[in-house]
Amino acid sequence: MSAPTPAPTPTENDLRTPRVAWQHEALLFERSRPGRIGVTLPPSEPGEPATADLLPAELLRGEIDGMPELSEVDVIRHFTRISRKNYALDLGLYPLGSCTMKYNPRINEEMARLPGFAGSHPMQPDSTVQGNLELLWELERALVDLTGLARVSLQPAAGAQGEFAGMLMVKAALEARGEKRKYVLIPDSAHGTNPATAHFAGFEVKELLSNAQGTLDLEDLERAMTDEVAALMMTVPNTLGVFEDHIREIAAIVHKKGGFLYGDGANFNAYVGKARPGDMGIDVLHMNLHKTFTTPHGGGGPGAGPVAVCAELVPFMPAPTVEKNENGFYLDHDRPGSIGRVRSFQGQFGVLVRALTYIYAMGGEGLMRVAENAVLNANYIRKGLEDLYHLPYQTPSLHEVVFSDKHQQVHHVSTLDIAKRLMDYGFHPPTIYFPLIVSGALMIEPTETSGKEELDDFITAMRAIAHEAETDPDLVRGAPYTTPVGRCDEARAARNPILAWKP
Amino acid sequence: MSAPTPAPTPTENDLRTPRVAWQHEALLFERSRPGRIGVTLPPSEPGEPATADLLPAELLRGEIDGMPELSEVDVIRHFTRISRKNYALDLGLYPLGSCTMKYNPRINEEMARLPGFAGSHPMQPDSTVQGNLELLWELERALVDLTGLARVSLQPAAGAQGEFAGMLMVKAALEARGEKRKYVLIPDSAHGTNPATAHFAGFEVKELLSNAQGTLDLEDLERAMTDEVAALMMTVPNTLGVFEDHIREIAAIVHKKGGFLYGDGANFNAYVGKARPGDMGIDVLHMNLHKTFTTPHGGGGPGAGPVAVCAELVPFMPAPTVEKNENGFYLDHDRPGSIGRVRSFQGQFGVLVRALTYIYAMGGEGLMRVAENAVLNANYIRKGLEDLYHLPYQTPSLHEVVFSDKHQQVHHVSTLDIAKRLMDYGFHPPTIYFPLIVSGALMIEPTETSGKEELDDFITAMRAIAHEAETDPDLVRGAPYTTPVGRCDEARAARNPILAWKP
Amino acid sequence: MAASKPPMVAHRYLPTGEQDRRELLAAVGVESVDALFSTLGDLVLDEPVAIAGPMGDGALRHHLGALAAKNQVAGRDFVSFLGGGAYRHEVPTVIDHLLLRGEFLTVYTPYQPEFSQGTLQAIFEFQTFLTLLTGLPVANASMYEGASAFAEAVLMADRLQKKRRKVVLSRGIHPHYRATLATYAQNLDFDLVEVGWDESGRTDAAALAAAVDDQTICVAVQSPNYFGVVEAWSVASDIAHAQGALSIGVVTEALSLALLQSPGAGGCDIACGEAQSFGLSLAYGGPYVGFLAGKDEHKRAMPGRLAGETVDSKGQRAWVLTLSTREQHIRREKATSNICTNQALCALAATMYLSLYGKVGLRQLAESNLKRAAQLRQSLVATGVGFAPRFRAPSFNEFTVRAGEPVQPLLRDLEAQGILAGIALGSDYPELEDCLLMAVTECNPMADIERFIATLEQRMAARIGMPFPTAR
Amino acid sequence: MAASKPPMVAHRYLPTGEQDRRELLAAVGVESVDALFSTLGDLVLDEPVAIAGPMGDGALRHHLGALAAKNQVAGRDFVSFLGGGAYRHEVPTVIDHLLLRGEFLTVYTPYQPEFSQGTLQAIFEFQTFLTLLTGLPVANASMYEGASAFAEAVLMADRLQKKRRKVVLSRGIHPHYRATLATYAQNLDFDLVEVGWDESGRTDAAALAAAVDDQTICVAVQSPNYFGVVEAWSVASDIAHAQGALSIGVVTEALSLALLQSPGAGGCDIACGEAQSFGLSLAYGGPYVGFLAGKDEHKRAMPGRLAGETVDSKGQRAWVLTLSTREQHIRREKATSNICTNQALCALAATMYLSLYGKVGLRQLAESNLKRAAQLRQSLVATGVGFAPRFRAPSFNEFTVRAGEPVQPLLRDLEAQGILAGIALGSDYPELEDCLLMAVTECNPMADIERFIATLEQRMAARIGMPFPTAR
Ligand SMILES: Cc1ncc(COP(=O)(O)O)c(C=O)c1O
Ligand SMILES: Cc1ncc(COP(=O)(O)O)c(C=O)c1O
């Protein structure tokens, strides 16, 4: 770790302010000029009927005011320009905790675009999409092997929908047992989708407080786990990056009372290929293919949230499932116990292609190394920063480490300031203010796809900021200085929402 | 045209200096770390022989010192980062005169990558590449129609090689007539490849001086055009963007003496689809597909330089040509008069696919509009700047306009300074110091693919610089300030050449 | 792991070689990486999970390519008239070239606006496009796809109408959408009431009026509906509003929005549906992009993300994610939805598509779809091959035909001749068991129509044992 | 133009609508655009040239796709052992993703270094890779392809040896390369003397020594030569140097540089050739990327562009194009070459390829090519199907076989069975009219070899009228 070059500081005459014509790229709608078009439409066919003869005027609309008119080069320039205002994984470390921003392999993209996949219609007869069905089958098998559970539904569109499908299956299984349970237990460290999901699945949430180690207190749990409780939803490792070493006892407590142990698998990267949730006593677990399995986030999606289930939950899986008989593969719509569909068609198929591509690109041993290196990198960062940043929990970290701004708060520098200042050093900030149980949390997940020198650069930058916070706190509070725009006024946006351009 | 916002000016504490970790991206070789690899190789086959059993030690080399070791993500980040230090056509106007930096359509790229094209081997039997041969045939037909000449050789790899092939055909035709001519006439405004080509084709160059209109003087020409002269090489329109309105007289003078009129078609964008070189009396003309026909420049190539010829030159075309008989298309290697090959295989095939894609994307009428709009845009810029920048030739402009720095030299601001300052305004500079007949030339070719608002922004920036040159010449002389690196010391590079990294 | 094989260290996606690993371990202060997994105890596997690999690009192309090659696809392997909520449209190549830029592809949700202005501006543009197309003033940053967008729209209406207990919906809504709603609503406190259609193919207005009462949360209708029939939004809206209920307009073929009266203009309070038609490939059903738009006064009840305009510290225009107190990461179990990851990249593709087609192109494309479908419809009538349009109300680019013979064998027969003629309606609508749903887009050249008609004529000729059409 | 059709104004590549055009014309001060073409007089066409279009992406995919579909390609349509200067290697997908970034794709030659550091750094890296691979200290930014690179190398040697008059080259050099040299040299002042090979398949050392004298500019040898045989560079170099001539090493299969002694180490003064193997698709012969490397003292005689390191105004490292006084745009008819546009993007692809494979991967790949080819060679010998290696000297991934029967009908017969067995040598080397050139790369799985052998066995069985191999 070399001595840090300080990142830029503000001056009167801030040259970073972009003044070139296109750095303030206007909205598409503002760029519109009459008469432009970005496509060439086929000429009309001879003998075509007229629109007015096909649809009565009252069903038609007029020209849409405000729709832009742009040429192809306008569109290319617009999106190329604005894209450059984003920081990206392809530019460097993106250590967002809980988000597993790992390298998105490009071969995934090539495979998802194979015409045989990309061109297949979701309503085609099974006989014409045997390749798709076989792919879904292979992916389900791989995820079964990695989770140690009985089956996997590939239908959910994202992690939250996987949770939703999972909790509906829990509910259905309980009902099949003749039970109607009211509560779901959720630790206070949980991701927001967990309580939101439990609510939409028709449960009431009971929050469990984390103990001083950031884990669950077994006695608390024993007390809370009544026969009115349908499930405990827990994240493994939890959002502090800590593995609940009593997980099998936890499962036993839950199971003894007839409840289900729901695993939030968003953090699967910590142990993928290294240990199996099924072995831990987890009954149902969703995975985020857009985290552990490298499908790109794309600015917020699309992802996919397959949900793996134990044998008892299999009858309730969303329909259709992929099955195989002597004629080949087929979609099985005839699943009487099913919770039904959570979406149209067969799921985020293109995302599933990418995930399977990744799985084969790594192989079983490779996936084991993924978890190992993810954990090693997180611990290296922990070691590199723990003297300067407050570590609220001393428990061993797996794939991420959570600091707080306690030491910097002394100088009135907050987590937000640190995050913004990191941008001037060329890094995306960590996840901030989550988990909620840590005040001013800085949640750092380097993943396995950054090398040592990049971790060193990041540590160097974080240390430099800690130093700046002591010696020049205003500097940190005013950051960032080198980004396409300065610190944005989020309060104003919420107070006076402008949610669309108006013609 | 709104009032210009001045571009950034330098300060003591220049925040534009990138300090973030990756903005000084090191060389690949410097980034190497032992044990990394960016590919997964197939496992070795059982029963494979050993290298040492196949090749004696004296024919083998050891490990190559200095070869880098990098993972896939390292490579992605490296090239993504350095790419962002380039300005690009996709970011805005790139008004390099003589270079025709027009929009590069992306469908061209998709077509060139069709597996049937990209996967075909140049030595495949003709029967297995009928699609390739038909494509070459169609492209030749289209270029024949656009040039009005008899045939087109698609073999040359770039404009300069097209010139070379063209001049060798001239030589061969003269020899077939039993003549051995020594000289080639070239106007002083010509591109450097013209005299260089003439030299390598075995001719001596005689330079013709341009007259006050920037065109050829017919009397001079008549005097110079002896029967020792093989050809006149002229650029149409010439490098001032001026069309020689006496072109048919020029052709007559050359032809009368038994010479050939060579047209440098690098500027074909000025009249493509609007007029035909064959009608002008041109006997042989190369085209730059990477200019007029939108194949991307890619930082300096690849391009392609097809050369169109009149009937007399057809027997001498490079072999092989594409011909058609009752069995389909075939490569004709059996051309006894041919000048031979100028390269291996059949030419820059992938570039040719792109060019044909573009031609069909435009159609005949579309190409006519290309020339019209290219000329209209150049004249609009001329009009917008002629009061502030010196226009050395008043002759009407076609697709480009050449100014000089005469007015700015008064303030000791040069063309180079103006060019560098334009970067701070977010524009690529025009071609500078060419043509050589204009001292301090600024050669501006907007092409047809920028809209009025971008021309306006460019004019605004140029006007602002003219103003700065008067009021704050040091500002202009110190430019650029906002680029990834400041003004580069080219003299030092030439004095003490460092042409490779050394292990 | 075979004893003979050394453990894998280097891998193209793992930039930590032997030496780096040693240095990292030393810095952390552990002997081996397994020491870091001590909290897992004996849960740690001894052997890697048995999964094929590692594969390089070549092996992956080989393996996945072989799977892809087992599929048959429209245009290449057969003529297709499949629609039913997923439409084959030309995708301009520009979209993929731009989407694949790392700066769009490899970025997270734009929680840090100073590092995400590109994504935020694009979301704001997507939202704007959807407001223009739906005729409603607020649209969110995307939903997973049409069916869950519909379910979320109903849940949103429920939040806005807390005291009411009934949702009335047209059976003309896509069966998957209704099934998804049923799943989403199964633990919630309202009933779903479905209303059938009249002989024109539209939702039965009288039945609708009868079903809606002062307990009704909302009325939902799709247009063009699942049978391809264009509904008049105002019929349902007026009925809904008369009872204080909200009106939801569902759209599965977003291209129709360029030509047909917008849901907003037709009185809908909420519009939702699927925008796959705007530049997304069929991809066997996903990823697509759901949309949801509503009125300004309802924006705080909306699910999903919203980008909004603001200023930065220097007063320059900037965009941020906003109104996030609606969302799960702030409001947890009280959030308007559990949605987190959405379909940002698909929304970006749609934004690019809409900017390329633009005002004129989108309209022309919609009209050409309308006309091409009409040409098929007219040809079927004119040639008398036994296929007849089932409904008389106008349609857009999709319509229902009565086959005049059992549908399943017919479809199999046509499939064998390289034609996917449409979707059999019988399994979802037993009363339409002799009917097919056929879609026609700009990707069906006239040759598709001619080939289909000719095939039907041959079947007819085979059946009647003489040339058909007889007078030819 | 049909009278009924209004003239085209809008087009996706022409961002000048009707109104903009009017404004531009008004500002320029002309009535119509034709006024701007007045200097062309009656040369201006009345009607557009009759060329199909304008086509949208859909129509282009249809038209060009139909052409592409008329080709057959290796891997998909047949097994191929074609090489001969163009080799089928796996291309990592990463390359295309990066190459297609507008910042690389849509930029000109980096004459303005402050706006081109990305391209310049990549060129510098390409040059460095080529110095490492060739073992020579200076390499240029690229040449068109191997054959013209070779011709330029000879021209460069000629410049360095002004007074001499003879170029001696091995007949083992690729026929296209020798033909190209002949074209380039036809008007220059030296003779070309070709030297044959000995029974091992190497250039005949004795004949070479006899041909080289004190008038010799240079000696050029290719390795692996066109027959696939690995030459020892030092044989030619020593002969050349003994007479004060320069030695040129030609390489058409650049992958061999990872494994075989480098030209520099073998005493070559200049190395040149083709680097298509480094990440460029076959593409029916182009675009590929030529390379040219030499000694430090010869750098000012080099053709083509060179990037060099320097500093900017603040002393930071930067790259520029340098030594351009060698080039045509400065030196005009006295330039070292007329080359201007080169193969920058292809060189960039090669740079990416080399960084991905890296030190270990490139070597392993080369060894696997060597071994796979040896497996075919050994199988041919072992099975006794009548094909025998023609030369005994070692080869890399390509070798010459004697077919034992007329080659042309054999090739046609194998083609019909889905195998492109190799390149017939007879047209370029009449003395090898019964011989084939066969290349084997990592893209030939063992199954290719097995299929080829099985096919030969079947032919043999058919010929001898009994099962073959007889003992099976
Ligand atoms: C721990 C945890 N659980 C659940 C989720 C929700 O997953 P998704 O965003 O795919 O819906 C996330 C993702 O942000 C997460 O980090
Ligand atoms: C007028 C002119 N002639 C010839 C050339 C040479 O073409 P190329 O660079 O393709 O060899 C150029 C290109 O720079 C040019 O502008």
Side-chain angles (χ1 to χ4, degrees), chain A residues 98 158-160 163 191 193 235 264 266 286 288 290-291, chain C residues 108 340-341:
Chain A
S98 205
E163 294 174 26
H191 192 265
T193 51
T235 307
D264 179 328
H286 81 268
N288 294 44
H290 43 304
K291 301 187 179 189
Chain C
Y108 202 72
C340 177
T341 294

Side-chain angles (χ1 to χ4, degrees), chain A residues 269-311:
Chain A
N269 210 50
Y271 63 98
V272 61
K274 189 82 185 164
R276 300 187 309 168
D279 298 342
M280 300 172 189
I282 289 172
D283 301 301
V284 43
L285 173 116
H286 81 268
M287 286 156 279
N288 294 44
L289 298 189
H290 43 304
K291 301 187 179 189
T292 317
F293 297 98
T294 67
T295 78
H297 277 264
V307 55
V309 293
C310 62

Side-chain angles (χ1 to χ4, degrees), chain C residues 160-354:
Chain C
L160 290 168
Q161 302 265 34
K162 268 271 157 265
K163 311 234 168 73
R164 299 183 170 213
R165 295 247 166 291
K166 182 159 83 174
V167 168
V168 177
L169 51 152
S170 161
R171 283 189 75 219
I173 294 174
H174 194 299
H176 289 185
Y177 288 40
R178 288 182 287 122
T180 300
L181 174 60
T183 307
Y184 269 69
Q186 65 189 237
N187 298 301
L188 301 181
D189 214 15
F190 54 78
D191 299 320
L192 301 177
V193 176
E194 296 194 343
V195 170
W197 64 89
D198 62 25
E199 261 318 291
S200 71
R202 295 210 182 95
T203 306
D204 183 330
L208 197 64
V212 175
D213 58 23
D214 64 1
Q215 279 306 300
T216 303
I217 294 167
C218 62
V219 175
V221 169
Q222 175 180 321
S223 178
N225 67 23
Y226 192 63
F227 317 122
V229 170
V230 180
E231 302 256 7
W233 299 117
S234 56
V235 173
S237 303
D238 290 349
I239 292 170
H241 293 162
Q243 295 286 352
L246 296 171
S247 158
I248 299 180
V250 184
V251 178
T252 62
E253 171 46 298
L255 181 59
S256 67
L257 290 168
L259 185 64
L260 303 180
Q261 190 197 39
S262 74
C268 296
D269 302 289
I270 300 174
C272 64
E274 177 57 62
Q276 172 268 330
S277 288
F278 296 153
L280 299 173
S281 57
L282 289 169
Y284 201 50
Y288 292 172
V289 55
F291 67 88
L292 197 154
K295 300 207 147 164
D296 193 58
E297 58 267 36
H298 300 154
K299 61 180 173 290
R300 285 172 209 274
M302 272 205 168
R305 294 187 190 125
L306 287 165
E309 188 179 313
T310 188
V311 294
D312 76 352
S313 49
K314 299 181 202 100
Q316 308 174 90
R317 179 163 70 169
W319 289 277
V320 295
L321 290 181
T322 193
L323 300 184
S324 41
T325 51
R326 299 164 299 111
E327 289 183 71
Q328 46 71 31
H329 65 285
I330 310 283
R331 192 62 67 83
R332 302 179 76 83
E333 65 266 34
K334 299 197 187 66
T336 56
S337 166
N338 72 339
I339 192 171
C340 177
T341 294
N342 61 17
Q343 305 289 113
L345 201 69
C346 302
L348 178 60
T351 307
M352 292 168 180
Y353 183 92
L354 291 167

Side-chain angles (χ1 to χ4, degrees), chain D residues 251-389:
Chain D
V251 178
T252 62
E253 170 47 298
L255 181 59
S256 67
L257 290 168
L259 185 63
L260 303 180
Q261 191 199 38
S262 73
C268 297
D269 303 288
I270 299 175
C272 63
E274 176 57 63
Q276 171 268 331
S277 287
F278 296 153
L280 299 174
S281 57
L282 289 169
Y284 201 49
Y288 292 172
V289 54
F291 67 88
L292 197 154
K295 301 207 147 163
D296 194 57
E297 58 267 37
H298 301 153
K299 61 179 173 290
R300 284 172 211 274
M302 272 205 168
R305 294 187 188 125
L306 287 165
E309 189 179 313
T310 187
V311 294
D312 76 352
S313 50
K314 299 180 202 100
Q316 307 175 89
R317 176 163 71 169
W319 289 277
V320 294
L321 291 181
T322 194
L323 301 185
S324 40
T325 50
R326 299 165 299 111
E327 290 183 68
Q328 46 70 31
H329 65 285
I330 309 282
R331 191 65 65 85
R332 303 179 76 83
E333 65 267 33
K334 300 198 185 66
T336 56
S337 166
N338 71 340
I339 192 170
C340 178
T341 294
N342 61 17
Q343 306 289 112
L345 201 69
C346 302
L348 179 59
T351 307
M352 292 169 179
Y353 182 93
L354 291 167
S355 42
L356 287 165
Y357 274 86
K359 183 186 268 181
V360 176
L362 200 70
R363 173 78 177 209
Q364 282 181 9
L365 181 69
E367 292 199 32
S368 83
N369 271 249
L370 171 78
K371 293 169 184 175
R372 193 69 54 85
Q375 280 173 305
L376 172 58
R377 192 171 166 150
Q378 288 163 3
S379 300
L380 288 173
V381 173
T383 52
V385 284
F387 270 50

Side-chain angles (χ1 to χ4, degrees), chain A residues 127-357:
Chain A
S127 59
T128 66
V129 285
Q130 286 294 300
N132 288 346
L133 296 170
E134 188 171 341
L135 183 140
L136 296 173
W137 177 271
E138 285 189 22
L139 180 59
E140 186 180 345
R141 291 295 83 66
L143 295 178
V144 160
D145 290 345
L146 289 167
T147 57
L149 286 160
R151 285 208 64 173
V152 178
S153 168
L154 301 173
Q155 194 179 99
Q161 208 181 43
E163 294 174 26
F164 184 56
M167 292 308 291
L168 290 180
M169 285 188 269
V170 165
K171 185 139 204 161
L174 289 168
E175 277 165 16
R177 289 190 204 154
E179 295 179 18
K180 208 165 167 71
R181 297 183 176 213
K182 197 167 163 189
Y183 299 105
V184 167
L185 302 181
I186 301 182
D188 53 2
S189 61
H191 192 265
T193 51
N194 293 185
T197 296
H199 168 74
F200 283 98
F203 295 105
E204 266 175 52
V205 174
K206 278 203 180 167
E207 200 169 83
L208 294 177
L209 302 184
S210 306
N211 64 18
Q213 285 73 50
T215 56
L216 283 183
D217 186 292
L218 294 194
E219 284 175 28
D220 276 3
L221 175 64
E222 199 116 35
R223 221 169 297 126
M225 186 65 216
T226 68
D227 60 9
E228 281 198 304
V229 171
L232 164 64
M233 288 182 90
M234 67 188 286
T235 307
V236 183
N238 70 18
T239 58
L240 294 166
V242 172
F243 189 80
E244 310 266 351
D245 49 1
H246 298 292
I247 191 155
R248 277 189 283 211
E249 283 126 287
I250 291 171
I253 293 169
V254 171
H255 291 156
K256 200 175 60 201
K257 290 285 163 142
F260 287 86
L261 183 55
Y262 186 99
D264 179 328
N267 288 347
F268 198 22
N269 210 50
Y271 63 98
V272 61
K274 189 82 185 164
R276 300 187 309 168
D279 298 342
M280 300 172 189
I282 289 172
D283 301 301
V284 43
L285 173 116
H286 81 268
M287 286 156 279
N288 294 44
L289 298 189
H290 43 304
K291 301 187 179 189
T292 317
F293 297 98
T294 67
T295 78
H297 277 264
V307 55
V309 293
C310 62
E312 185 180 352
L313 296 179
V314 167
F316 312 107
M317 286 169 70
T321 55
V322 177
E323 310 292 339
K324 191 178 176 176
N325 65 18
E326 61 290 355
N327 298 323
F329 299 94
Y330 66 99
L331 288 177
D332 183 8
H333 294 271
D334 184 22
R335 300 187 67 87
S338 168
I339 59 161
R341 304 190 149 271
V342 293
R343 51 161 295 156
S344 58
F345 310 126
Q346 287 78 243
Q348 307 263 54
F349 180 74
V351 177
L352 306 177
V353 176
R354 290 170 174 86
L356 187 65
T357 304

